[in-house]
Amino acid sequence: MYPSSIFPASLRICVVIFALLLSVSVCSELKVRVRLNDGQITAETLESDSEQDIISVEFRHTDGTLITFLADFKRHVKILRALVLGEPERGQTQYQGLCFISRLEHGEIIPSEAMVRLRQKNPHVVRTAEEKRGLERLSMNMAVNLTLSWHLSSHIRSLCRDAQDFIYTREQDVKYWLEKGVEGSIFKVFPQNVETTGLPSCSATTDPWQPCLCSYTLRLEWYPCMLKYCRGHGSSPYKCGIRSCSKAYRFDFYTSRKQLCMWDEES
Ligand SMILES: *[C@@H]1O[C@H](CO)[C@@H](O)[C@H](O)[C@H]1NC(C)=O
């Protein structure tokens, strides 16, 4: 420890766990140890590129599921991808990819230019988010064509490759992107020509071949959601750290058979 006397009082309050340094890099990678909801610890990787104006967050759940979040600020797009491990002995595939694309709202996550400057003082500390944000429920009723997805964001192609027929978005977000001039042919109402009202939830369905409404819930356990400001010697406030958040998302979407919604079991 430094003797506290070398820090003026105003500076001492700014010695936070995370510091924003004045560096000139455009890319950065940060590894953070994060405690999951079930008490287990995972290694989370946060990458950012201020030139492309993107941030990505990735971690593995205790059950093996890989969760990836990508914010594309230029295109107002966020992508949440889950690679869910299957049980081949139960006739399931090795893993199933799910890609959920929705509108990135202003202020959901700190800007990429702040993210590239983020350094952590003690990488061994296990972190939990300072603010737990509530569950957001999203009804995913449109599909995105992977081949044409670059019209919306160039990052969908690589991130959602393993999700193939499971790339979903919402009508209200599509409306917003169309107004921004995004090509409309990449979106399709999903499912087409199928009446979904009155369809049972997959958790209430026992027949593996029956169409049903699947839901998938994930929690982004730790991400920098806001900038913290400190005050120097009477000068105006400056950025000196971040506030961390965790947030849960529940996605509801149609599946043509219960078998494709293997995690949605009545427990
Ligand atoms: C996606 O778009 C391409 C190019 O227009 C088309 O050939 C392909 O059939 C589309 N895929 C789906 C699943 O609609």
Side-chain angles (χ1 to χ4, degrees), residues 141-254:
N141 49 8
M142 296 197 90
V144 176
N145 183 316
L146 186 66
T147 316
L148 303 173
S149 63
W150 58 271
H151 285 289
L152 180 59
S153 164
S154 60
H155 305 283
I156 299 173
R157 192 91 192 252
S158 51
L159 204 56
C160 298
R161 203 175 45 220
D162 295 318
Q164 291 288 350
D165 303 326
F166 302 95
I167 311 172
Y168 301 104
T169 187
R170 295 191 295 180
E171 204 171 351
Q172 67 211 75
D173 298 327
V174 168
K175 240 180 227 162
Y176 171 79
W177 293 319
L178 292 183
E179 279 166 19
K180 292 255 166 206
V182 173
E183 167 70 38
S185 61
I186 78 169
F187 308 107
K188 247 185 5 200
V189 172
F190 182 81
Q192 274 181 326
N193 314 316
V194 176
E195 186 55 59
T196 55
T197 48
L199 214 60
S201 71
C202 293
S203 59
T205 307
T206 48
D207 181 357
W209 300 101
Q210 183 170 349
C212 52
L213 290 177
C214 185
S215 78
Y216 188 80
T217 302
L218 65 86
R219 177 171 278 282
L220 208 53
E221 292 286 355
W222 191 97
Y223 67 98
C225 52
M226 259 187 270
L227 291 172
K228 272 182 189 159
Y229 288 86
C230 297
R231 205 172 268 285
H233 291 283
S235 56
S236 50
Y238 61 96
K239 296 170 205 160
C240 61
I242 53 116
R243 181 174 177 78
S244 59
C245 287
S246 98
K247 183 174 163 72
Y249 298 88
R250 174 184 159 147
F251 300 99
D252 296 302
F253 54 96
Y254 167 89

